Amino acid sequence: MGETVFVLVLNAGSSSLKFNLFDMANEDSIAEGNAERIGLEDGILACTILGDKRKETLPLPDHKVALEFILERLQAAVLHDTPIHAVGHRVVHGGPKYGDSVLVTEEVIRDIEHFAMYAPLHNPANALGIRTAMTAFPDVPHVAVFDTAFHHNIPDHARIYGIPYDMSQKYGIRRYGFHGSSHSYVAARTAILLCRPLRALKIVTCHIGNGTSICAVGQGKSMDTSMGMTPLQGVIMGTRCGTIDPSVVEMLMEYEHLDYNGITNLLNKQSGLLGISGVSSDFREIEIAAENGNDRARLARDLLTYNVRQYIGAYATVLDGLDAITFTAGIGTHSTFVRAKVCSKLNFLGVKLDHDANENGTGERIISTPDSRVVVTVVPTNEELMIARETIR
Ligand code: ADP
């Protein structure tokens, strides 16, 4: 092996720890995996190291033990005492303070913990992951890369909510947006596919997965995005409701006798595709049920594509034009149906889908016809690589 620059990317959830090891000398992904069911006796560690897949069941009492197991596997298979140069951490919420990636200090960790007020399900776990990794690697730089950072400078009118202004200011209540690494990665790849400079393009990026967000990218920057102060706003998602009338919250709390935790759970975990269809949050299962004639699965599927189309229309207006639409994430990358349905009523914008390319290709590609005024692309996202690049930067 020549000169290596190993960067470890970590994404810590409350009971999981995802990892990727990159050699940034050539941006090669060397290893990836996930420790799941942390806190339990029968934890699961799945790793793919240099193409070799393995899955083990072992006790994972906490994140520290999970990280130790991961490092042991990496050490034996690829590192062989070669040092890791830096660790990049995915952090969901950077609050009002962080508009860029940052070298981790004790103050940064405390801020991440504090911003749990906006992301109670994610930020505490992200901070715990950082603390654990800093103990394991005390002598290398650790970098926090925020999902919110790409949207940090969206215009004021796109981020303000219509509540009393002093309360917005006092509590930092505003649109923050998420999936920033994904939107910025796929927008940059789209510019490359179009052989045009990113700063000259007006792109709507559609990250459609378990979580879904749409972003208006102009001059390479986020101009608006569908998620809000939390990842609950916007398009209907796997189990999240997306945008609803806030009065629904009050009504359900009263009539269903729900407290704060009850309503939070209902809107985050029992709504969306799952709530409407009663079938599943997994879009593949929704598609199968819809094809078999399940009306509620069809309704859920139709609402998803309708919402995405609504945002594309809105963001063509935000950007004052449109050069490209990009599909990414699990559903955006794989569902030919969703892409075809979303594009089917965008003729007025000059969108002409190449049905053959939509249905038959794989990977990064253009799926519109050569005479389509708006180019439609599919770009599998790579948030981990973006985090590794940010860490090096
Ligand atoms: P996350 O937001 O958790 O990263 P993903 O981006 O992996 O999620 O997206 C997961 C979603 O993608 C699931 O709803 C899954 O059903 C859907 N999906 C994955 N593969 C396909 C496929 N071949 N066809 C349709 N949907 C798919």
Side-chain angles (χ1 to χ4, degrees):
M1 225 184 257
E3 185 74 16
T4 52
V5 183
F6 283 131
V7 171
L8 181 66
V9 173
L10 295 177
N11 179 357
S14 55
S15 65
S16 69
L17 182 62
K18 287 194 191 133
F19 72 93
N20 288 71
L21 179 69
F22 288 93
D23 178 358
M24 292 307 283
N26 43 22
E27 297 197 336
D28 270 352
S29 168
I30 308 287
E32 62 175 334
N34 192 9
E36 287 173 279
R37 300 171 59 83
I38 295 177
L40 300 175
E41 269 305 297
D42 54 345
I44 297 172
L45 177 60
C47 303
T48 305
I49 304 181
L50 294 170
D52 183 27
K53 275 192 187 187
R54 271 219 236 174
K55 198 168 186 174
E56 313 162 64
T57 305
L58 66 198
L60 297 175
D62 54 31
H63 285 71
K64 179 168 173 286
V65 173
L67 184 59
E68 280 166 4
F69 276 122
I70 291 168
L71 295 177
E72 237 176 72
R73 306 294 178 271
L74 291 176
Q75 192 66 31
V78 279
L79 290 174
H80 312 299
D81 294 326
T82 315
I84 282 176
H85 285 72
V87 185
H89 297 270
R90 181 182 190 177
V91 179
V92 165
H93 218 301
K97 186 165 171 183
Y98 295 105
D100 202 353
S101 308
V102 64
L103 203 58
V104 176
T105 60
E106 181 56 32
E107 182 188 339
V108 170
I109 302 178
R110 276 202 299 265
D111 286 338
I112 292 168
E113 285 165 345
H114 178 61
F115 298 144
M117 64 190 280
Y118 308 114
L121 302 177
H122 297 102
N123 269 37
N126 296 159
L128 173 65
I130 295 177
R131 286 196 188 281
T132 307
M134 285 183 87
T135 310
F137 297 101
D139 301 322
V140 307
H142 289 251
V143 176
V145 181
F146 300 96
D147 260 29
T148 47
F150 184 56
H151 311 291
H152 193 70
N153 292 315
I154 57 174
D156 285 345
H157 57 257
R159 71 168 163 214
I160 191 83
Y161 288 130
I163 59 169
Y165 187 79
D166 53 346
M167 287 187 197
S168 311
Q169 300 304 302
K170 189 168 164 193
Y171 299 114
I173 297 174
R174 62 165 168 89
R175 183 186 307 283
Y176 287 94
F178 300 87
H179 295 136
S181 300
S182 178
H183 289 297
S184 84
Y185 174 80
V186 302
R189 292 303 309 171
T190 296
I192 290 169
L193 280 173
L194 270 65
C195 298
R196 290 180 60 190
L198 179 60
R199 72 188 134 69
L201 290 172
K202 297 169 177 179
I203 310 172
V204 175
T205 49
C206 307
H207 179 114
I208 316 176
N210 274 325
T212 290
S213 71
I214 316 294
C215 184
V217 182
Q219 298 169 359
K221 299 180 203 148
S222 172
M223 296 294 175
D224 201 351
T225 187
S226 59
M227 282 179 168
M229 182 179 84
T230 75
L232 192 54
Q233 196 183 349
V235 176
I236 178 190
M237 305 178 215
T239 58
R240 284 175 240 160
C241 60
T243 297
I244 55 171
D245 183 335
S247 308
V248 174
V249 176
E250 295 155 23
M251 187 172 155
L252 285 176
M253 287 179 87
E254 185 176 345
Y255 287 94
E256 289 287 314
H257 311 293
L258 297 170
D259 61 8
Y260 172 83
N261 285 333
I263 192 75
T264 303
N265 186 51
L266 183 117
L267 299 177
N268 279 283
K269 304 255 168 83
Q270 299 169 35
S271 299
L273 294 173
L274 171 67
I276 294 176
S277 70
V279 171
S280 172
S281 63
D282 188 305
F283 194 71
R284 280 165 294 198
E285 290 177 29
I286 301 274
E287 280 196 320
I288 293 166
E291 275 155 30
N292 290 335
N294 182 317
D295 284 337
R296 279 171 51 189
R298 283 189 180 160
L299 189 60
R301 189 183 68 171
D302 290 349
L303 179 55
L304 172 68
T305 54
Y306 178 65
N307 279 170
V308 174
R309 236 163 13 85
Q310 285 179 306
Y311 274 103
I312 292 173
Y315 289 169
T317 307
V318 166
L319 294 168
D320 191 16
L322 189 60
D323 297 303
I325 299 170
T326 301
F327 288 96
T328 192
I331 301 172
T333 304
H334 298 294
S335 174
T336 54
F337 173 88
V338 165
R339 293 191 303 257
K341 186 89 180 179
V342 166
C343 292
S344 66
K345 288 192 182 162
L346 297 176
N347 297 337
F348 76 102
L349 282 173
V351 175
K352 284 194 198 164
L353 199 66
D354 177 338
H355 290 280
D356 198 38
N358 182 39
E359 270 158 43
N360 296 318
T362 54
E364 203 172 89
R365 66 197 190 278
I366 290 175
I367 57 166
S368 48
T369 61
D371 65 336
S372 181
R373 248 190 301 131
V374 175
V375 180
V376 184
T377 68
V378 177
V379 177
T381 195
N382 198 341
E383 289 158 294
E384 296 76 20
L385 176 60
M386 283 301 275
I387 294 168
R389 283 182 184 162
E390 282 295 284
T391 304
I392 291 288
R393 183 172 71 82

